[in-house]
Amino acid sequence: MELFNQILFGGLAMAAGVAMVKYSFWLTNQTGSIGTVERYMGAGSTYTFYKILGIIVIIGGLFYMTGMLTPIMEWLFAPLAPIFAPFRGQNGS
């Protein structure tokens, strides 16, 4: 059942990412421009932001579908492990 969930949610994430890339103009018209993105990246860059975010969602969905998301995230955040080491083993009680 876990494999089915990985395939289903990974596929849905990939479909959402493709929709973000394909319909970035429509998405911007519906939600409005993002002021921070426009200020730092220039006028009209909300479309580019949605396309970049869509590509990241597509890659994340593919990694989740293949079961590679957890190892990649562990590798990516490994430098932060010493910061959270004192919290390991505590069960909150």
Side-chain angles (χ1 to χ4, degrees):
M1 192 65 170
E2 183 179 341
L3 180 62
F4 176 74
N5 287 339
Q6 279 184 310
I7 293 172
L8 177 68
F9 291 126
L12 288 174
M14 289 176 61
V18 168
M20 285 179 73
V21 170
K22 185 173 181 179
Y23 299 111
S24 63
F25 183 74
W26 178 86
L27 188 61
T28 303
N29 285 339
Q30 297 301 316
T31 60
S33 63
I34 303 171
T36 306
V37 172
E38 296 283 332
R39 186 175 335 127
Y40 291 112
M41 293 176 59
S45 59
T46 300
Y47 308 113
T48 306
F49 175 76
Y50 281 132
K51 289 182 186 218
I52 291 170
L53 186 62
I55 291 170
I56 291 170
V57 169
I58 291 169
I59 293 170
L62 180 66
F63 284 158
Y64 182 74
M65 190 185 314
T66 58
M68 291 299 298
L69 187 63
T70 303
I72 289 173
M73 295 303 274
E74 286 176 353
W75 173 79
L76 189 63
F77 292 112
L80 299 176
I83 296 172
F84 299 105
F87 301 111
R88 266 192 203 157
Q90 294 181 355
N91 58 6
S93 57

